[in-house]
Amino acid sequence: MEPHYLLEPRTERPKFQSQSDYSGSNVIRDQFTISTWLALGAGLQTVLTLLLPFRYAVLPALLFLTLHTASTLLVSLGLRSNPLRQHVVPTKFAARLPFASLSPTANNNKPASPPSLVVFLLGFQINHPLGLLAPGGRTINQHFAALMDDIHARADEYGLVGHMPLQGGVRGAKNDLVQLMYFRDVEGLHRFAHDPLHKAAWRWWNEAVGASQGKDGKKGRNTIPHLGIWHEAYVVQPGGWETIYAQTTPTGLGAGWVKRQGGAGGEGEKAEREEWLSVMVDARRGAMRTSSGRMARSEGLEHEGMPEVDYQDVV
């Protein structure tokens, strides 16, 4: 029994989360600690107080606080729509990759085993008080931006299913900037890794850290000892992963889209038409209700007798 996909296929690939939902302001905000931001605000307020009469100098801060307080109250009292819920999927759903390579199971009560999946994290950190303004900070950020633009434009070629940016939270500021990506297979990941843009980034890094030798045969000087790069790759075998989301915005793998051949076109064009399919499926019924069921290891009966939440239907 194949699961029910929640969204209709689209003729054009939707944007990834990193292209639509993520704001660069998060990166800027993380360059300073909260105490630094408060000090900057206090300094600006002091300057306004010195330049303007007091009753005018306090107006910007009072107006800002009044607007935000009023907006929060209106949303909390149900008098205004909540912008944070705009893209929330009001049900329980899971991610299901509709790859043509899936083979049907012998038991029709269980879904086909999930295919293999590659989870890839690519990140960098800046261990310098200037953050992105430190030597090399702007360059490494430009390389990462170019790589992300490339992988978005060639998502199907690389087998990229989903991508979202993350930020570490270990430090008060200047945390790791991380790209979380999901690939269909390791071959697609390696195509991305050996792309000319990625090789250009490699070359810049090797030269900047002094790995290249000069004419005298000596290694160069490390000009960016405060920069660090890292990646982690996990190749998950078929049937070795599952996901679950309840009343969240599409996130992680659940926000992924895959291209498939053959849509709802006419008789002659069906085999040629390309469409993009969301990986979100209904996880309220059948084997998709349980972790073992979503990995095709059971028929999803482990929750029998437990109360079911009446989540909203999503068409």
Side-chain angles (χ1 to χ4, degrees):
M1 179 184 299
E2 280 302 303
H4 169 64
Y5 287 90
L6 297 180
L7 300 182
E8 291 293 327
R10 300 186 184 180
T11 56
E12 295 183 359
R13 178 179 62 79
K15 291 183 177 181
F16 288 108
Q17 286 176 291
S18 54
Q19 294 174 289
S20 55
D21 300 332
Y22 187 69
S23 172
S25 62
N26 293 329
V27 177
I28 297 174
R29 183 175 57 200
D30 187 60
Q31 297 307 299
F32 303 102
T33 62
I34 187 170
S35 58
T36 301
W37 282 112
L38 289 173
L40 288 172
L44 179 59
Q45 185 63 63
T46 301
V47 172
L48 289 176
T49 303
L50 292 174
L51 296 177
L52 300 172
F54 180 78
R55 62 177 179 273
Y56 295 126
V58 298
L59 278 179
L62 289 177
L63 182 61
F64 179 84
L65 290 173
T66 300
L67 290 176
H68 278 263
T69 301
S71 177
T72 300
L73 287 174
L74 290 173
V75 171
S76 300
L77 295 173
L79 301 177
R80 178 187 174 189
S81 61
N82 183 354
L84 295 176
R85 292 191 58 196
Q86 183 178 358
H87 301 294
V88 167
V89 181
T91 191
K92 185 168 73 170
F93 62 98
R96 182 75 175 170
L97 305 185
F99 295 164
S101 60
L102 288 179
S103 58
T105 58
N107 187 339
N108 289 330
N109 291 326
K110 292 196 298 183
S113 177
S116 62
L117 183 71
V118 176
V119 182
F120 184 61
L121 294 100
L122 177 65
F124 72 90
Q125 58 183 230
I126 302 179
N127 301 302
H128 193 286
L130 291 177
L132 286 172
L133 297 178
R138 182 169 177 267
T139 304
I140 195 172
N141 191 53
Q142 289 175 333
H143 278 297
F144 265 70
L147 288 171
M148 295 308 103
D149 288 343
D150 177 65
I151 201 171
H152 293 158
R154 301 164 64 184
D156 187 55
E157 177 184 343
Y158 293 134
L160 181 71
V161 178
H163 167 219
M164 68 179 293
L166 302 172
Q167 273 185 259
V170 177
R171 302 190 290 200
K174 302 173 183 66
N175 286 285
D176 289 36
L177 298 176
V178 185
Q179 306 295 334
L180 170 61
M181 292 171 269
Y182 303 91
F183 292 84
R184 291 188 180 189
D185 49 51
V186 72
E187 290 77 16
L189 172 59
H190 286 166
R191 282 193 294 274
F192 166 66
H194 295 281
D195 178 86
L197 279 175
H198 200 181
K199 287 184 177 180
W202 275 352
R203 285 194 295 271
W204 169 80
W205 175 265
N206 289 338
E207 291 173 1
V209 298
S212 301
Q213 292 185 345
K215 294 181 180 180
D216 56 0
K218 296 182 180 180
K219 288 186 177 182
R221 183 175 64 89
N222 186 349
T223 60
I224 51 170
H226 50 276
L227 297 185
I229 57 175
W230 60 273
H231 85 243
E232 295 179 2
Y234 305 92
V235 181
V236 189
Q237 298 305 313
W241 62 270
E242 59 89 15
T243 66
I244 192 66
Y245 315 86
Q247 297 184 165
T248 71
T249 58
T251 190
L253 184 59
W257 293 79
V258 296
K259 186 171 76 172
R260 70 175 182 180
Q261 297 291 129
E267 191 70 26
E269 62 179 280
K270 184 174 182 180
E272 301 178 2
R273 180 178 174 182
E274 295 179 348
E275 62 183 12
W276 291 86
L277 185 64
S278 167
V279 303
M280 288 193 300
V281 298
D282 191 342
R284 298 175 300 165
R285 304 179 181 89
M288 300 302 291
R289 292 181 301 170
T290 70
S291 175
S292 294
R294 290 187 291 275
M295 289 190 286
R297 300 182 181 185
S298 76
E299 296 180 11
L301 303 178
E302 296 87 355
H303 293 177
E304 290 294 324
M306 294 181 63
E308 291 288 340
V309 178
D310 187 19
Y311 288 104
Q312 181 177 329
D313 283 324
V314 176
V315 180

